[in-house]
Amino acid sequence: MRVGPDLRSGDPEHHVRVKQRSSVLNMLRRLDKIRFRGHKRDDFLDLAESPNASDTECSDEIPLKVPRTSPRDSEELRDPAGPGTLIMATGVQDFNRTEYDRLNEIKGHLEIALLEKHFLQEELRKLREETNAEMLRQELDRERQRRMELEQKVQEVLKARTEEQTAQQPPKGQAQANNGAERRSQGLSSRLQKWFYERFGEYVEDFRFQPEENTVEAEEPLSARRLTENMRRLKRGAKPVTNFVKNLSALSDWYSVYTSAIAFTVYMNAVWHGWAIPLFLFLAILRLSLNYLIARGWRIQWSIVPEVSEPVEPPKEDLTVSEKFQLVLDVAQKAQNLFGKMADILEKIKNLFMWVQPEITQKLYVALWAAFLASCFFPYRLVGLAVGLYAGIKFFLIDFIFKRCPRLRAKYDTPYIIWRSLPTDPQLKERSSAAVSRRLQTTSSRSYVPSVPAGLGKEEDAGRFHSTKKGNFHEIFNLTENERPLAVCENGWRCCLINRDRKMPTDYIRNGVLYVTENYLCFESSKSGSSKRNKVIKLVDITDIQKYKVLSVLPGSGMGIAVSTPSTQKPLVFGAMVHRDEAFETIFSQYIKITSAAASGGDS
């Protein structure tokens, strides 16, 4: 657009001449031809949220809708000599405004086109990731190559067969006869195979061998709640067995006289008439029938011993650390005792059959030979009658007498004596260690007999030569030769001495061994050095002795002993002692003995 004076007409008035830009018109013509091939405009985001991209990135066609001017406006714009200057000025302003609007519209369409390109690229990338065309193309090439190889092999096999058939082809008539017989035989055999497979194919498949699969079960991590729940499940599962054993014991103990008398009479009649096995089978059927009625909702309870319902504590959801620790300790203690009892039973049975104690296994050996010879020479009816009568009399009468008379049982109850005398593996180890220690003591006493003075007794001799790992006992603690540890603590109790009067860490806690003599309480430090680290306390000087818990955070009553003396401001604590209760009982009993002896001596 150009505004200036018209020099050719010579008119003093100024006229306006409008010249449209060819680039703008060309762009508008191009945009009129653009059409969308994607989504609608409404599906796109706002222009403010469009991704940053330059206008040169878009190469797709962009549909634009350009507003067109009316013929009147176009004529006014084409005619430079209009009705007046004001009308031309307004035309110029309208043209400028429409051009600016068109440029803004073009800009908006370009941004929309860029958005469409961006979304189409994202969709194309997603489709490529989902379909994974490259891998499919590679697999397709591999399958084609494999198919070609198979076709070549099939062609080679067909060529070889045709060559063999041409080489071994019989005469024509004979070949036709042979083909007919082969077809008939093949048809008959195929029908037989089909019939056999339809009838017995499923059973044949069941006997097909398959390799065993080694499946490894995943182990659950340790959990206090899981451990407690498993113990409760074990207790509930073993409850029927324990109830059955209790009822049998009640029958043998004649807990209910009428019930035991009826059971004894019925059992002996059944054994005498040969109905023992039918009796047991009938009792099993009766028990299952009662269980069926109980499962259907009937309230039936038959038990010789009345059942006591234990209160079930609801499991707590939120437990503190100390409560969880105490819970784990309780469950571990129950599991330890249960496993110990089961191990004792299994070890006794093993030692019975392994001739650990020959005099006990010899009785079983003779009894088995007697039963074998009786079964060979006597009829089974007589053997069964004898065994049944003996079992009934033993269960209902002999056991009742033995349980009421323990001394009689200890003398004449052979199965009970054998079972009690069978050792477990820990008992065997203790016996072997005791035998070794006895041998060592006998050898040492024999070697030192000539050096013993004539005036010393056995006790003085034993105390004189009692020694610890570091030397003689009386030399370590600077005591007299007659002071020696008691028999209970001959090897001492391992513990740690906590002296709260000391400030140095090395003197505050000392590891060592605690001994108790007739008059002293001796602590031997495990560290090598002078005897100043050892501690000797007179039992008479002890003012107070009590069980002590070093760490209050841990559950239980603790593993320490606190001893108070006048020479110490704070009590001495012997902590981390495994056999704390045994040590406390020994020290306390010896302390009472010494103080009572001192009191009686003072009174006299």
Side-chain angles (χ1 to χ4, degrees):
M1 182 177 66
R2 185 172 59 185
V3 179
D6 192 0
L7 300 176
R8 290 177 297 178
S9 61
D11 194 356
E13 295 182 357
H14 293 83
H15 300 280
V16 178
R17 186 173 62 183
V18 179
K19 183 180 180 181
Q20 295 181 349
R21 296 179 183 179
S22 60
S23 61
V24 175
L25 296 175
N26 291 333
M27 187 178 293
L28 290 174
R29 291 193 198 97
R30 240 179 266 141
L31 290 174
D32 287 337
K33 296 178 181 180
I34 294 174
R35 294 291 182 270
F36 276 109
R37 284 177 284 186
H39 301 283
K40 296 181 181 180
R41 294 182 186 178
D42 298 336
D43 297 334
F44 296 108
L45 300 173
D46 297 337
L47 294 177
E49 300 176 357
S50 63
N52 297 326
S54 61
D55 295 341
T56 58
E57 292 180 358
C58 179
S59 61
D60 298 336
E61 294 182 357
I62 306 171
L64 293 176
K65 188 174 181 181
V66 183
R68 298 180 180 178
T69 58
S70 61
R72 181 179 179 184
D73 295 336
S74 60
E75 289 176 0
E76 289 179 357
L77 290 173
R78 290 195 190 105
D79 190 7
T85 305
L86 294 175
I87 298 173
M88 185 60 66
T90 56
V92 170
Q93 291 177 1
D94 294 339
F95 180 78
N96 290 334
R97 185 171 62 253
T98 54
E99 185 178 6
Y100 181 74
D101 294 339
R102 289 177 181 176
L103 288 176
N104 286 336
E105 189 175 0
I106 291 169
K107 184 179 178 181
H109 286 306
L110 287 175
E111 289 183 357
I112 293 173
L114 290 175
L115 283 173
E116 183 185 7
K117 177 184 177 183
H118 174 73
F119 286 116
L120 288 176
Q121 287 178 351
E122 289 292 329
E123 290 180 0
L124 181 61
R125 183 177 60 80
K126 290 180 181 179
L127 288 174
R128 285 177 179 175
E129 290 179 355
E130 291 176 357
T131 56
N132 204 352
E134 293 296 332
M135 291 182 64
L136 292 176
R137 191 179 296 109
Q138 292 177 2
E139 291 181 0
L140 183 60
D141 293 338
R142 286 196 296 268
E143 292 296 332
R144 287 177 180 173
Q145 187 176 0
R146 193 179 301 169
R147 183 179 59 81
M148 293 173 64
E149 292 176 356
L150 290 175
E151 287 180 355
Q152 291 178 1
K153 290 181 180 179
V154 169
Q155 289 178 2
E156 291 176 358
V157 171
L158 290 176
K159 285 181 181 179
R161 285 185 179 179
T162 52
E163 290 176 0
E164 291 178 358
Q165 288 178 0
T166 53
Q168 299 178 358
Q169 186 174 7
K172 188 173 182 180
Q174 186 179 358
Q176 291 179 358
N178 291 334
N179 290 333
E182 288 178 358
R183 287 176 183 175
R184 286 192 297 272
S185 62
Q186 289 178 359
L188 181 61
S189 63
S190 63
R191 286 196 298 270
L192 287 174
Q193 289 178 1
K194 186 177 180 180
W195 177 82
F196 182 79
Y197 185 77
E198 288 178 355
R199 292 298 182 98
F200 305 102
E202 184 177 357
Y203 304 102
V204 172
E205 291 292 332
D206 294 338
F207 287 95
R208 180 175 293 179
F209 294 114
Q210 294 181 357
E212 296 182 358
E213 297 181 358
N214 295 326
T215 58
V216 179
E217 296 182 359
E219 296 184 356
E220 298 182 1
L222 180 62
S223 173
R225 185 175 299 174
R226 187 68 175 173
L227 184 61
T228 309
E229 183 62 26
N230 288 341
M231 287 298 297
R232 290 174 181 171
R233 288 172 54 198
L234 179 62
K235 189 175 181 180
R236 290 195 298 266
K239 190 174 181 180
V241 180
T242 55
N243 290 338
F244 178 72
V245 173
K246 286 180 182 178
N247 288 325
L248 285 181
S249 179
L251 276 177
S252 177
D253 294 341
W254 292 74
Y255 183 84
S256 176
V257 180
Y258 296 104
T259 306
S260 299
I262 293 171
F264 176 69
T265 306
V266 171
Y267 173 78
M268 296 302 287
N269 284 318
V271 170
W272 183 260
H273 293 90
W275 295 342
I277 295 177
L279 175 64
F280 289 120
L281 293 177
F282 175 75
L283 291 176
I285 294 171
L286 180 61
R287 182 73 258 185
L288 285 177
S289 302
L290 292 176
N291 291 340
Y292 175 77
L293 295 177
I294 292 171
R296 289 295 179 181
W298 290 47
R299 293 185 178 181
I300 300 174
Q301 184 176 1
W302 181 83
S303 177
I304 301 174
V305 181
E307 296 183 0
V308 179
S309 60
E310 298 179 356
V312 180
E313 297 180 358
K316 296 181 180 180
E317 297 295 334
D318 299 331
L319 296 176
T320 61
V321 177
S322 60
E323 289 177 349
K324 289 182 180 179
F325 190 73
Q326 184 65 38
L327 183 63
V328 172
L329 286 180
D330 294 339
V331 176
Q333 183 180 5
K334 293 179 181 178
Q336 171 189 338
N337 298 333
L338 178 62
F339 294 156
K341 292 178 181 178
M342 294 173 64
D344 290 343
I345 294 171
L346 296 176
E347 287 173 357
K348 284 186 175 184
I349 295 172
K350 182 211 30 158
N351 294 331
L352 175 63
F353 287 97
M354 294 303 296
W355 294 82
V356 175
Q357 284 192 346
E359 63 275 6
I360 297 177
T361 311
Q362 186 178 1
K363 296 178 181 179
L364 177 64
Y365 190 72
V366 172
L368 291 176
W369 270 110
F372 172 72
L373 294 176
S375 64
C376 291
F377 292 103
F378 295 101
Y380 286 104
R381 182 178 178 83
L382 183 60
V383 173
L385 178 63
V387 172
L389 291 176
Y390 172 75
I393 295 171
K394 176 77 170 59
F395 180 78
F396 286 98
L397 300 178
I398 298 176
D399 286 348
F400 174 74
I401 297 172
F402 282 156
K403 287 180 181 179
R404 293 296 184 272
C405 305
R407 297 180 63 181
L408 194 65
R409 184 176 191 179
K411 290 181 180 179
Y412 301 105
D413 193 358
T414 306
Y416 176 77
I417 295 171
I418 291 174
W419 183 255
R420 289 294 299 272
S421 59
L422 282 172
T424 59
D425 290 347
Q427 292 175 355
L428 291 175
K429 290 181 181 179
E430 290 179 0
R431 291 179 184 178
S432 61
S433 62
V436 171
S437 63
R438 268 192 236 102
R439 290 173 188 172
L440 292 175
Q441 287 178 1
T442 52
T443 54
S444 62
S445 62
R446 287 175 184 175
S447 62
Y448 285 111
V449 162
S451 62
V452 178
L456 295 177
K458 295 182 179 180
E459 294 181 356
E460 294 177 355
D461 179 41
R464 182 176 182 180
F465 295 105
H466 183 82
S467 62
T468 62
K469 294 181 180 179
K470 297 181 181 180
N472 293 330
F473 184 82
H474 66 277
E475 293 178 357
I476 292 174
F477 297 103
N478 295 325
L479 301 175
T480 59
E481 294 183 357
N482 59 352
E483 289 290 339
R484 64 182 182 87
L486 299 178
V488 181
C489 59
E490 188 175 0
N491 297 322
W493 297 296
R494 290 193 173 275
C495 62
C496 64
L497 175 60
I498 303 173
N499 190 355
R500 298 183 179 181
D501 292 338
R502 303 295 180 91
K503 295 182 180 181
M504 294 298 292
T506 55
D507 296 334
Y508 185 80
I509 298 176
R510 300 178 193 173
N511 294 321
V513 183
L514 181 65
Y515 298 94
V516 180
T517 65
E518 292 183 357
N519 301 306
Y520 294 93
L521 187 64
C522 305
F523 176 79
E524 181 185 3
S525 177
S526 60
K527 291 185 179 180
S528 61
S530 62
S531 60
K532 293 181 180 179
R533 295 181 177 273
N534 300 333
K535 191 73 175 177
V536 179
I537 304 172
K538 285 186 177 181
L539 295 176
V540 183
D541 296 340
I542 294 176
T543 57
D544 186 19
I545 178 173
Q546 59 183 350
K547 296 180 181 180
Y548 188 76
K549 186 177 182 181
V550 180
L551 297 176
S552 59
V553 180
L554 297 177
S557 59
M559 300 172 66
I561 298 174
V563 178
S564 300
T565 58
S567 61
T568 57
Q569 296 178 358
K570 297 180 180 179
L572 298 174
V573 177
F574 299 96
M577 191 180 299
V578 178
H579 304 282
R580 193 273 305 272
D581 296 335
E582 181 182 2
F584 179 80
E585 293 295 334
T586 305
I587 297 170
F588 189 75
S589 61
Q590 192 66 22
Y591 170 74
I592 295 296
K593 180 180 178 182
I594 293 296
T595 53
S596 61
S600 62
D603 294 339
S604 62

